[in-house]
Amino acid sequence: KIGSPSDVEGVRQSRWWWWWWRRPKQEEKRLRAVTLHVNSAILAAKSPFFYNLFSNGMRESLNKHSATVLRVDASEEAAVMELLHFAYAGHLSRETAESPSAVLDVLRAADKFDVVSCIRHCSVLL
Amino acid sequence: MSTQKKRNFKIEAFKHRVELDPKYAEKTWKILEHAIEEIYNHNASGLSFEELYRNAYNMVLHKYGEKLYSGLVTTMTSHLKNISREVELAQGGFFLEELNRKWEDHRKALQMIRDILMYMDRTFVPSAQKTPVNDLGLNLWRDNIVRSPKIQARLKNTLLELVERERTGEVINRGLMRNVIQMLKELGPNVYQEDFEKPFLDVSADFYRVESQKFIECCDCGEYMKKAERRLNEETERVSHYSAEASGGKIENVVEREMIANHMQRLVQMENSGLVNMLVDDKYDDLSRMYNLFNRVPGGLSAIKDVMTSYLRETGKQLVTDPEKSKDPVEFVQRLLDQKDKYDKIISLAFSNDKTFQNALNGSFEYFINLNPRSPEFISLFVDDKLRKGLKEVSEEDVEVVLDKVMMLFRYLQEKDVFEKYYKQHLAKRLLSGKSASDEAERSLIVKLKTECGYQFTSKLEGMFTDMRTSQDTMQGFYASQSSEMSEGQPSLVVQVLTTGSWPTQASTTCNLPPEIHGVCERFKAYYLGTHSGRRLSWQTSMGSADLKAVFGKGQKHELNVSTYQMCILMLFNSSDQMSYKEIEQATAIPAPDLKRCLQSLACVKGKNVLRKEPMSKDIMEDDDFFFNDRFTSKFFKVKIGTVAAQKESEPEKQETRQRVEEDRKPQIEAAIVRIMKSRRVLDHNNIVTEVTKQLQSRFLPNPVVIKKRIESLIEREFLERDKVDRKMYRYLA
């Protein structure tokens, strides 16, 4: 299990912190957790999923000081990271962009989290 | 091409990617179903959004969208059925509150459910052509709650009862009402209309039908209007408080129909308080209210206008045809002006200067002013009265105001040429007797007439002014040339040289002038003809006046202001103290009616009787004798002896004027016919009549029979000919 992130109080007010879990499907015990610091406003602007995650009145949006957990499959990990990169940067990394299968993975992740701009971007790349 | 292949390949691979637990779908759905339960139970804070979204996403991804969707429908339906039972159980007044609370809950829950099923909403719903989650939730609410048999009627009745209670003055919870109506609106326009608007309008119609009936039985018109206006405002305000603005226009229509349109005629004609009474009493507020309310319903304004018009015509007709009231022309016209002012004020204050009302007013005036054939004469007399003396005390702006008003009446006249005739006569009298109060005002009216009727109408009137001015110059010239021959004691002469045609024609019967005067006149004639060759002068003795110095018995001196005829008579008494009627008639050769009138004013008017008559009586007989009245006294040095001449025309004079007018019209009609035929060449009878009428209506309304006669006369004189085939057609002969 993961403790709360160490950061200055003031920054906490304006940012959402969440942890990245990776759980291989068959082996429940082998969970891997990655902690990322993200800006909730940026993600919410890009994706209705994140918008609701941070606002719709369920656990994640109510416990503002503890980490928000997002579970993904191991096979999705790279794509999800790339999607987050896109949310901030507006483009994919060069390695990803050059590999159609990687782009396809990102597209799938973008579809899952409803990041319209990324879906469009990937469609153009493909 | 290669990209296409790649994409296909990848998608294929994706399909086979995940191996699934056979019970996976069931297990996942249970989690979601439990979550929906929890949401409805207000326990959403314990749920993980991320987990629920992921589960719903996975179900859709693994082709269990249908299961997810139908599961949602089942769960929500059963949940709503429970809610429905709870709402049904609510007692009396708590029913609406309970319904509203449950609705708020449902809406919040629906929002959350939609959020977790977002992926399904985005992908599965459109492809499977299902109703989106939000709409589904509203539809289920509609079918299971709002339209459930036990709730639908109760909801409707509760709402209507609240409206009714508020209408009768109770205070109700408007916020609650507003929320419930908002709910109905969110459930779709159809629900709002059927479950609220329609019954609301029906009930309102019943309510106002009964209420208006009650009001109209016990209230007067003004009171009723106030109530109707208040009700209208209340309803407008009500729908805005209920957030049912969409029904605003409709409920207003209902009130307008029930309270105004259905009782329009009765209101307008209500005895003792209807429109006529409002008009009579100048009730601007009530009239304005009536105008605004009636303006909202079709035919409302014309109902007001019709009653106003018929009332105006009725009273106007009485005004102009009542022989009592037309005795004094000045008062007659003043009454018309007052009437016009009154209605102008009403239209501007209460009827927002409505053009159609102004037209109705003008039409009515035009109608009844022309009912009295003497209106043109009276209007001219009114002007005469104003320009003669009345204006001495008033300022120039006021003169303008009065003249403008007179012009307005003038516009209503159909027989403008008759007015012109009289105006000319009256103006001539004013000018010749020097009684015109203000040259300025005279000219201003002429200018007004000119702008109204054109140059032709006033050219002769202007000619009269010109004559007056040239006469002044002529007189100066005359006295300058005669200065050497003029001696003291000789009568001084003022001559006004009038152009024939510009002035009203007078039968020029010259009387015998006294020799003293005759000499001066001859000298003037010689002077005038000497400077203007080729002219002819004739003396209009009937129009002049004279100042005489007279010494009476006790030596008191008076200056007598008399007419030329009277002067001739009085001069005879210089040589003898007694004369018979016959002798006077012979000596002066004044026409008998004028002579009698002059003698009457010299001998029979008290305080001005410089002559004495024997026998004493009111009327002049042919065998009367006249004496110089030695005992005449007056406290004034100057004595004005008027002629006993009626200001108004007498019956035969009127006939004569009328005949002259008709005579004058003939050439005008002929000219119009010729003008028209010249441009049209061929035209049938009826069209000629219409065109002529149109051309001449600014001056008078020609009689079709007269037009026909003129056409015949023109045919005789070979200006026109009848078409040989079609006898109704005329042809212009150039």
Side-chain angles (χ1 to χ4, degrees):
Chain A
K1 290 281 171 174
I2 302 297
S4 58
S6 52
D7 204 331
V8 225
E9 194 63 28
V11 181
R12 258 193 215 164
Q13 295 294 318
S14 61
R15 285 171 174 235
W16 292 89
W17 305 96
W18 53 286
W19 278 258
W20 194 261
W21 289 63
R22 196 183 58 165
R23 183 189 61 159
K25 189 90 192 154
Q26 286 85 2
E27 300 159 61
E28 287 282 326
K29 294 156 211 160
R30 283 179 55 199
L31 292 172
R32 194 161 74 85
V34 178
T35 305
L36 293 175
H37 294 184
V38 297
N39 184 307
S40 62
I42 291 179
L43 291 187
K46 299 282 177 188
S47 143
F49 167 81
F50 283 107
Y51 177 83
N52 287 328
L53 180 71
F54 295 134
S55 68
N56 92 329
M58 291 190 185
R59 199 170 60 209
E60 291 87 342
S61 53
L62 295 176
N63 302 337
K64 296 197 175 183
H65 299 297
S66 61
T68 299
V69 179
L70 190 68
R71 283 183 180 212
V72 298
D73 200 88
S75 62
E76 293 174 294
E77 183 186 355
V80 169
M81 296 303 262
E82 195 59 34
L83 179 66
L84 290 173
H85 172 73
F86 179 87
Y88 279 87
H91 58 82
L92 299 176
S93 66
R94 192 139 46 98
E95 305 90 79
T96 311
E98 280 167 1
S99 151
S101 71
V103 173
L104 197 64
D105 285 344
V106 175
L107 175 60
R108 196 149 48 229
D111 175 59
K112 178 176 179 178
F113 297 120
D114 200 4
V115 186
V116 181
S117 55
C118 187
I119 295 175
R120 209 179 300 127
H121 188 77
C122 293
S123 312
V124 172
L125 284 179
L126 288 171
Chain B
M1 261 324 222
S2 68
T3 329
Q4 190 67 38
K5 251 183 198 169
K6 245 184 232 166
R7 193 184 284 169
N8 284 344
F9 173 69
K10 286 296 176 188
I11 290 167
E12 198 108 13
F14 164 72
K15 269 185 183 169
H16 297 289
R17 200 173 56 97
V18 189
E19 304 292 323
L20 278 179
D21 179 354
K23 285 193 181 159
Y24 165 78
E26 199 51 42
K27 266 167 42 191
T28 317
W29 166 242
K30 281 287 168 233
I31 297 172
L32 287 168
E33 189 183 25
H34 174 73
I36 293 173
E37 296 283 327
E38 291 291 280
I39 289 171
Y40 272 112
N41 293 335
H42 305 279
N43 288 333
S45 58
L47 300 169
S48 160
F49 176 77
E50 186 272 336
E51 182 194 354
L52 297 171
Y53 182 89
R54 177 159 37 85
N55 282 325
Y57 168 76
N58 281 332
M59 275 189 86
V60 175
L61 201 65
H62 300 315
K63 302 286 167 213
Y64 293 110
E66 184 59 46
K67 182 177 173 60
L68 181 58
Y69 192 87
S70 62
L72 170 70
V73 173
T74 320
T75 311
M76 202 182 267
T77 307
S78 82
H79 207 85
L80 290 178
K81 285 215 185 309
N82 287 337
I83 292 182
S84 164
R85 269 190 293 281
E86 285 173 47
V87 173
E88 280 165 31
L89 284 178
Q91 294 296 312
F94 296 110
F95 168 72
L96 267 195
E97 277 177 40
E98 184 68 13
L99 180 69
N100 184 37
R101 193 159 48 236
K102 293 293 180 195
W103 161 248
E104 294 297 330
D105 289 352
H106 177 65
R107 259 209 336 200
K108 275 186 202 135
L110 186 61
Q111 174 72 31
M112 282 189 177
I113 293 169
R114 193 185 63 175
D115 288 347
I116 59 177
L117 299 181
M118 200 161 48
Y119 192 76
M120 178 186 80
D121 232 3
R122 188 156 54 86
T123 55
F124 172 74
V125 165
S127 63
Q129 298 187 331
K130 301 278 188 188
T131 316
V133 174
N134 192 50
D135 294 352
L136 174 74
L138 295 179
N139 289 350
L140 289 176
W141 175 267
R142 177 190 67 200
D143 298 338
N144 291 294
I145 314 277
V146 172
R147 290 202 168 158
S148 84
K150 287 190 180 158
I151 293 182
Q152 188 171 21
R154 190 173 168 193
L155 173 62
K156 186 184 81 182
N157 292 337
T158 311
L159 292 177
L160 295 179
E161 192 199 337
L162 283 176
V163 172
E164 167 100 25
R165 270 164 53 189
E166 200 184 31
R167 277 193 183 129
T168 51
E170 275 184 58
V171 176
I172 63 158
N173 184 347
R174 281 183 159 177
L176 183 60
M177 190 82 185
R178 182 193 180 95
N179 288 343
V180 173
I181 286 175
Q182 191 67 40
M183 171 187 86
L184 294 175
K185 268 162 55 178
E186 275 178 47
L187 294 178
N190 173 29
V191 179
Y192 171 74
Q193 278 160 15
E194 279 188 25
D195 289 66
F196 175 70
E197 188 179 67
K198 204 174 154 302
F200 169 65
L201 294 178
D202 290 347
V203 165
S204 304
D206 290 342
F207 178 84
Y208 284 114
R209 191 172 306 128
V210 173
E211 186 172 86
S212 64
Q213 199 58 46
K214 200 172 76 199
F215 285 165
I216 205 154
E217 297 298 343
C218 65
C219 299
D220 68 20
C221 183
E223 196 65 27
Y224 184 95
M225 289 288 154
K226 271 183 204 144
K227 288 189 163 150
E229 185 183 54
R230 199 172 58 228
R231 279 307 196 189
L232 255 176
N233 291 340
E234 272 174 20
E235 288 303 329
T236 316
E237 191 200 19
R238 189 179 339 275
V239 288
S240 85
H241 277 299
Y242 293 174
S243 96
E245 288 86 353
S247 310
K250 294 178 191 165
I251 184 68
E252 278 173 25
N253 280 341
V254 167
V255 182
E256 284 157 9
R257 189 181 65 233
E258 296 299 337
M259 295 205 82
I260 302 165
N262 288 351
H263 299 287
M264 210 151 63
Q265 289 306 328
R266 183 157 172 195
L267 282 170
V268 168
Q269 279 153 3
M270 203 178 258
E271 226 165 293
N272 300 326
S273 68
L275 179 61
V276 168
N277 294 70
M278 292 180 185
L279 292 174
V280 171
D281 299 338
D282 295 326
K283 296 214 163 150
Y284 301 120
D285 286 348
D286 286 344
L287 287 168
S288 159
R289 190 171 294 116
M290 183 178 252
Y291 176 84
N292 289 327
L293 288 176
F294 277 47
N295 197 5
R296 310 173 72 120
V297 300
L301 288 190
S302 65
I304 300 183
K305 208 162 49 203
D306 291 348
V307 171
M308 186 185 89
T309 308
S310 68
Y311 174 71
L312 256 174
R313 288 184 178 213
E314 191 55 38
T315 47
K317 195 173 167 184
Q318 280 172 14
L319 203 67
V320 298
T321 50
D322 186 351
E324 266 311 300
K325 285 184 176 159
S326 51
K327 262 190 179 154
D328 183 348
V330 178
E331 253 177 61
F332 174 89
V333 174
Q334 190 58 52
R335 247 185 240 112
L336 289 179
L337 287 178
D338 291 347
Q339 187 85 342
K340 180 76 166 55
D341 281 349
K342 175 188 166 85
Y343 284 93
D344 274 342
K345 201 167 171 204
I346 286 176
I347 288 175
S348 78
L349 286 180
F351 298 157
S352 67
N353 269 328
D354 192 317
K355 271 271 173 303
T356 58
F357 277 74
Q358 283 170 351
N359 291 344
L361 177 63
N362 291 338
S364 307
F365 264 83
E366 202 174 321
Y367 162 78
F368 66 71
I369 281 192
N370 289 303
L371 283 181
N372 189 338
R374 307 196 67 173
S375 291
E377 182 191 348
F378 288 175
I379 293 175
S380 174
L381 279 170
F382 180 80
V383 177
D384 188 54
D385 181 70
K386 292 293 167 205
L387 292 180
R388 203 180 263 265
K389 52 186 179 186
L391 300 178
K392 272 172 195 153
E393 307 93 52
V394 285
S395 67
E396 251 171 58
E397 291 95 71
D398 292 343
V399 179
E400 283 296 304
V401 171
V402 172
L403 294 184
D404 278 333
K405 283 180 179 169
V406 170
M407 282 311 293
M408 186 185 61
L409 290 183
F410 169 76
R411 253 168 245 144
Y412 297 137
L413 290 177
Q414 274 164 3
E415 300 187 301
K416 295 193 172 60
D417 57 341
V418 178
F419 174 84
E420 186 199 357
K421 196 116 250 162
Y422 282 110
Y423 190 75
K424 215 155 105 180
Q425 278 177 22
H426 296 145
L427 177 63
K429 270 187 206 156
R430 278 203 300 281
L431 290 178
L432 293 180
S433 59
K435 295 279 168 48
S436 173
S438 147
D439 223 30
E440 199 91 344
E442 293 280 6
R443 280 176 196 286
S444 148
L445 190 71
I446 301 259
V447 169
K448 286 184 208 305
L449 286 170
K450 198 170 177 175
T451 39
E452 195 67 30
C453 297
Y455 167 76
Q456 200 195 357
F457 194 89
T458 54
S459 61
K460 288 183 179 172
L461 301 178
E462 281 172 33
M464 289 161 76
F465 281 99
T466 320
D467 281 352
M468 293 307 287
R469 234 176 300 120
T470 33
S471 295
Q472 264 179 13
D473 298 344
T474 312
M475 282 326 287
Q476 274 172 8
F478 172 63
Y479 280 112
S481 71
Q482 303 284 312
S483 58
S484 54
E485 296 163 42
M486 289 304 251
S487 55
E488 279 297 312
Q490 236 184 355
S492 56
L493 179 74
V494 178
V495 180
Q496 273 130 10
V497 183
L498 314 180
T499 315
T500 318
S502 294
W503 296 74
T505 40
Q506 297 277 340
S508 64
T509 42
T510 26
C511 66
N512 297 333
L513 290 169
E516 299 93 328
I517 308 296
H518 192 74
V520 193
C521 285
E522 284 306 320
R523 281 224 296 283
F524 176 79
K525 203 166 173 176
Y527 164 78
Y528 187 79
L529 295 179
T531 47
H532 302 88
S533 58
R535 293 196 185 180
R536 207 158 58 85
L537 275 185
S538 61
W539 299 99
Q540 297 281 333
T541 46
S542 55
M543 288 155 104
S545 66
D547 290 330
L548 298 178
K549 288 195 176 104
V551 185
F552 290 92
K554 289 175 188 162
Q556 74 269 44
K557 287 182 179 170
H558 285 288
E559 198 173 299
L560 304 178
N561 178 260
V562 296
S563 73
T564 309
Y565 283 155
Q566 288 165 338
M567 173 197 72
C568 295
I569 297 167
L570 289 176
M571 292 298 271
L572 296 176
F573 288 89
N574 270 344
S575 43
S576 69
D577 278 348
Q578 178 190 355
M579 289 191 95
S580 72
Y581 176 86
K582 289 277 178 215
E583 285 170 329
I584 296 175
E585 192 179 19
Q586 242 165 19
T588 58
I590 297 171
D594 288 325
L595 178 60
K596 279 188 181 168
R597 213 185 284 165
C598 290
L599 286 169
Q600 199 171 19
S601 45
L602 287 170
C604 303
V605 182
K606 217 172 168 212
K608 301 190 171 170
N609 49 337
V610 288
L611 292 184
R612 196 157 50 78
K613 187 170 88 78
E614 247 169 44
M616 282 298 284
S617 65
K618 274 266 171 231
D619 291 310
I620 309 293
M621 293 302 170
E622 303 225 340
D623 45 8
D624 286 347
D625 284 323
F626 295 90
F627 302 89
F628 180 67
N629 185 9
D630 265 341
R631 277 165 294 178
F632 172 80
T633 53
S634 173
K635 45 187 171 173
F636 303 108
F637 174 68
K638 274 194 170 184
V639 181
K640 186 185 175 327
I641 297 173
T643 342
V644 190
Q647 211 192 7
K648 257 185 346 178
E649 276 195 319
S650 62
E651 202 54 35
E653 277 175 323
K654 205 176 88 189
Q655 294 294 338
E656 202 189 308
T657 313
R658 165 73 26 195
Q659 214 175 357
R660 267 213 303 274
V661 167
E662 294 293 345
E663 236 12 83
D664 281 357
R665 282 180 184 181
K666 282 183 190 168
Q668 290 192 40
I669 295 175
E670 283 179 359
I673 296 171
V674 170
R675 268 199 301 277
I676 291 158
M677 291 308 290
K678 204 167 184 173
S679 62
R680 300 296 201 84
R681 314 306 292 184
V682 180
L683 205 63
D684 68 300
H685 182 81
N686 287 345
N687 272 322
I688 294 187
V689 173
T690 9
E691 293 256 342
V692 168
T693 313
K694 211 163 79 191
Q695 276 208 3
L696 294 175
Q697 70 188 359
S698 70
R699 292 177 59 80
F700 60 93
L701 215 57
N703 186 341
V705 180
V706 178
I707 298 179
K708 188 155 185 280
K709 276 201 182 126
R710 290 301 101 208
I711 293 175
E712 278 159 8
S713 148
L714 286 170
I715 291 173
E716 258 169 47
R717 283 178 281 160
E718 297 187 328
F719 280 96
L720 308 176
E721 67 170 4
R722 279 182 196 276
D723 193 285
K724 294 193 174 58
V725 191
D726 185 355
R727 303 299 286 169
K728 271 198 161 344
M729 297 294 276
Y730 300 107
R731 208 176 280 285
Y732 181 68
L733 298 173

